[in-house]
Amino acid sequence: MNDTWIQPDWPAPARVKALTTTRTGGVSKAPYDTLNLGTHVGDDPSRVADNRGILRQALPGEPRWLNQVHGTTVVDAAVGDGVPDADAAFTRESCRVCVVMTADCLPVLLCDRAGNVVAAAHAGWRGLFDGVIEATVAAMGVPPGQLLAWLGPAIGPDAFEVGGEVRAAFMGHDPASGAAFRPSPNQHKWLADIYLLARQRLIRAGVTGIHGGDACTVSDPARFFSYRRDGATGRMASLIWLA
């Protein structure tokens, strides 16, 4: 395994395996350098295939890749084939790999404390607002209090500038979400803490074992791709499976 990849620091059962890739260790050229795993960003398809091959060496099976659409659809990674339009996947079967790709959006990995079910969710602000976390928790089919969550690398609270309509939408759903926004130096803009927004949604859904949430993709160009920072860029993957 690439020693720059991130392994979640959380009290997951031994059979739960998870990792997040970084931008290093692949073969893609700038601006996708080097371990770009996204097929939809303009990179040379043969290089993306080689990068996925590098990743595959660390996994027990081919990941269930998704066509992420900033929605709330959750699929069973062990059912069907192809690349479904979805933003989350779960599984109860060993060696079935759930995966989401990000380059500023928030990857959320989940497992139950008994080690019987795992899930991965892609939570940009739209999916987060619409309920992708709640949909994923529901699809896992266990009491939320039995779940653990890990928040992977995402745009940090000093970099995520949004319009007032985003703040108003979240506060309309839950006034407490106002704590996740502070005025930006740019007039009429706000800085949003996507980690806090996700924690609030997880807690409201009944998940209290929450870990991670301490990285910023924008401010760490050596490790992370960032769409907000670079525009044309690659994608990292956050993956989880049962051994």
Side-chain angles (χ1 to χ4, degrees):
M1 183 182 295
N2 185 316
D3 60 8
T4 73
W5 294 354
I6 299 166
Q7 293 185 283
D9 182 11
W10 62 338
R15 71 179 297 229
V16 173
K17 308 299 181 183
L19 67 90
T20 292
T21 63
T22 58
R23 69 180 303 161
T24 65
V27 300
S28 290
K29 304 301 183 182
Y32 311 106
D33 46 323
T34 58
L35 191 65
N36 167 46
L37 298 164
T39 60
H40 62 294
V41 296
D43 195 3
D44 182 334
S46 66
R47 295 189 186 277
V48 179
D50 289 345
N51 288 339
R52 290 188 175 192
I54 292 168
L55 173 62
R56 176 68 178 76
Q57 295 174 25
L59 306 174
E62 183 68 19
R64 185 67 189 278
W65 300 101
L66 307 175
N67 180 37
Q68 298 168 189
V69 294
H70 294 276
T72 61
T73 297
V74 186
V75 298
D76 186 335
V79 175
D81 52 19
V83 181
D85 291 346
D87 284 85
F90 73 95
T91 189
R92 297 183 178 87
E93 295 191 12
S94 298
C95 301
R96 299 281 190 171
V97 183
C98 301
V99 58
V100 292
M101 287 187 292
T102 58
D104 284 336
C105 291
L106 173 63
V108 183
L109 301 181
L110 299 119
C111 71
D112 72 320
R113 298 175 190 273
N116 293 324
V117 60
V118 295
H122 162 247
W125 78 258
R126 292 178 182 84
L128 187 61
F129 175 76
D130 288 337
V132 68
I133 284 178
E134 294 89 336
T136 306
V137 168
M140 295 177 76
V142 298
Q146 296 180 15
L147 295 178
L148 299 171
W150 182 75
L151 309 180
I155 187 169
D158 293 330
F160 190 22
E161 190 176 68
V162 300
E165 74 282 357
V166 176
R167 175 176 177 266
F170 275 96
M171 291 185 65
H173 180 270
D174 177 11
S177 65
F181 297 87
R182 58 188 172 88
S184 169
N186 290 330
Q187 192 173 14
H188 306 307
K189 297 289 187 178
W190 297 83
L191 292 171
D193 187 341
I194 199 169
Y195 286 128
L196 178 53
L197 291 169
R199 289 188 182 99
Q200 289 176 332
R201 290 298 186 103
L202 284 161
I203 291 169
R204 283 172 62 93
V207 181
T208 57
I210 306 169
H211 305 267
D214 55 0
C216 176
T217 48
V218 176
S219 64
D220 194 347
R223 284 202 299 168
F224 301 127
F225 295 117
S226 167
Y227 180 80
R228 180 69 67 105
R229 183 187 64 232
D230 298 328
T233 193
R235 295 295 185 272
M236 301 165 293
S238 293
L239 310 101
I240 190 165
W241 67 96
L242 295 168

